[in-house]
Amino acid sequence: MIEERYGQARRRLPPWAADALIGAGVTLIVSVVISAGQGGRQGPDAIAHLWAVGLGALMLVRRRHPVAVLAVTALGLFAYYAAGHPAVGLAVPVAAALFSAAEFGRLVHAVVTATVVIAVSLSFRLAEGDDFSFVVGYELAGHILLMAAAIALGDSLRSRRNAQAGARRIAELTAQRYRQEAGARLHAERLAIARDLHDSIGHTTSVISLHADVARESLGRDESQTRAALDLIKSTTTRTMGELRRTVALLRTPDEDARSVVSLSSVDTLRENAAAAGIEIDIEMRVTAELPATVDASAFRIVQEAVTNIVKHSRGTRARITALDDGAVLRLSVVDDGPGRVRDSGPDHGIGSGDGHGDGDGDGDSHGVGPGHGIAGMRERAETLGGTLTAGRESAGFAVRAVLPLERTP
């Protein structure tokens, strides 16, 4: 509370005004002591009071030249006494200069100056015949204590000011770290949304494009096939719109405990679209417990993207999806049984065309007609969870394999 009030007072009072007040105080106190007219060969004349004003004026430059103010004050005190003016003691005239030097980090200079002033004063007074017991036993302790108090107060104020500056710096660094973390979280959320849109919309548009071609080719020749293709397009778009609505609802009302809008348990929905493209999919699910939401959603998106690759690029007729939970990791694999082929099924949505399942970024053995993000997106999903993903040609066909760590809470 005291530090807060002191900080508020400093903010209200400019530095030059504070120095002017200190200088006025020094002038007033020294002038009052001079007016007492104790000792000295001369009375409290104008020169003595002018000296007091000079001591006060030095406080106006104490921040920029603390050592010079200290030296001028000590030498001025010697000159004052040498001229025979009334006694003003030792500590009172130099207390403000000692305080200022200690406040601005000149602690050694302050201690040395105080020692020199005391030593010179004792030497001259004892040489002039002043009583030893009075000078040393009575006055010396008071001078030392007052000088030490001025130095200690200045050093304490400096230490407190440094502590406050350090606290402000820590607060600034903490705020900066929070801003960076918030930016990183926002970036991660944007990447997650981008991956979800890529996987969901890319899969849907691939299926729609494929079956739109089927409907176009069978139009006027096979009405039942045309109707089946259009029905599949409708069901696919309806399902995707529902998924998008759930995604938007979660974005509008985020809940950390909410389950993802997609789940590995929905992998059967991919079988229908693949079957319509002439690819039969076998599914083996050996997941013994509920998966963490992030792992569950990422696993489904990886499988979905891999199936989309197969539908668009594989020459095979069968594929196998395997999900195995061994308690520590979830192992996924999507393997087809044929070499790659090129299908003219509309715009590319992350998978390049060519002799494999490559996405144009160097994965697989694609010749890549354009850059894509399919396999790269799957790999990003796995690596975000601390897992791994590989994609490439094997003896039986093209395989996507992922290992996702599980972090279940007991």
Side-chain angles (χ1 to χ4, degrees), residues 65-94:
H65 309 290
V67 177
V69 169
L70 194 62
V72 172
T73 300
L75 294 175
L77 180 64
F78 296 153
Y80 176 87
Y81 276 116
H85 294 294
V88 291
L90 289 178
V92 172
V94 300

Side-chain angles (χ1 to χ4, degrees), residues 328-393:
V329 297
L330 175 67
R331 301 182 185 277
L332 295 174
S333 66
V334 181
V335 184
D336 64 36
D337 65 350
R341 68 176 176 180
V342 178
R343 281 185 177 171
D344 183 14
S345 57
D348 178 61
H349 298 282
I351 305 125
S353 301
D355 187 21
H357 295 269
D359 61 359
D361 57 4
D363 297 300
D365 51 349
S366 169
H367 296 290
V369 296
H373 306 283
I375 293 177
M378 289 190 287
R379 182 171 290 114
E380 285 177 2
R381 286 186 181 279
E383 292 177 351
T384 298
L385 299 175
T388 59
L389 183 140
T390 60
R393 183 155 304 285

Side-chain angles (χ1 to χ4, degrees), residues 27 48 69 97 100 112 124 144 184 232 253 258 291 295 300 350 359 367 398:
T27 298
V69 169
S100 299
V112 170
F124 274 94
I144 292 176
L232 185 57
T253 57
L291 297 173
V295 176
F300 175 82
D359 61 359
H367 296 290
F398 196 90

Side-chain angles (χ1 to χ4, degrees), residues 122-136:
L122 285 177
S123 299
F124 274 94
R125 295 188 65 182
L126 292 177
E128 290 178 355
D130 288 353
D131 183 63
F132 179 86
S133 60
F134 177 79
V135 173
V136 177

Side-chain angles (χ1 to χ4, degrees), residues 169-186:
R169 179 59 178 163
I170 291 174
E172 292 172 359
L173 292 175
T174 302
Q176 182 180 2
R177 188 193 66 185
Y178 286 155
R179 288 193 296 270
Q180 292 174 344
E181 291 178 351
R185 287 195 297 270
L186 178 61

Side-chain angles (χ1 to χ4, degrees), residues 156-212:
S156 174
L157 184 59
R158 180 188 62 82
S159 299
R160 184 169 61 180
R161 185 177 298 153
N162 290 342
Q164 291 174 343
R168 287 193 297 270
R169 179 59 178 163
I170 291 174
E172 292 172 359
L173 292 175
T174 302
Q176 182 180 2
R177 188 193 66 185
Y178 286 155
R179 288 193 296 270
Q180 292 174 344
E181 291 178 351
R185 287 195 297 270
L186 178 61
H187 180 66
E189 290 172 0
R190 291 177 63 184
L191 287 178
I193 294 172
R195 285 194 296 264
D196 277 342
L197 290 176
H198 170 272
D199 294 346
S200 178
I201 304 301
H203 176 78
T204 301
T205 52
S206 296
V207 172
I208 292 174
S209 177
L210 175 65
H211 290 284

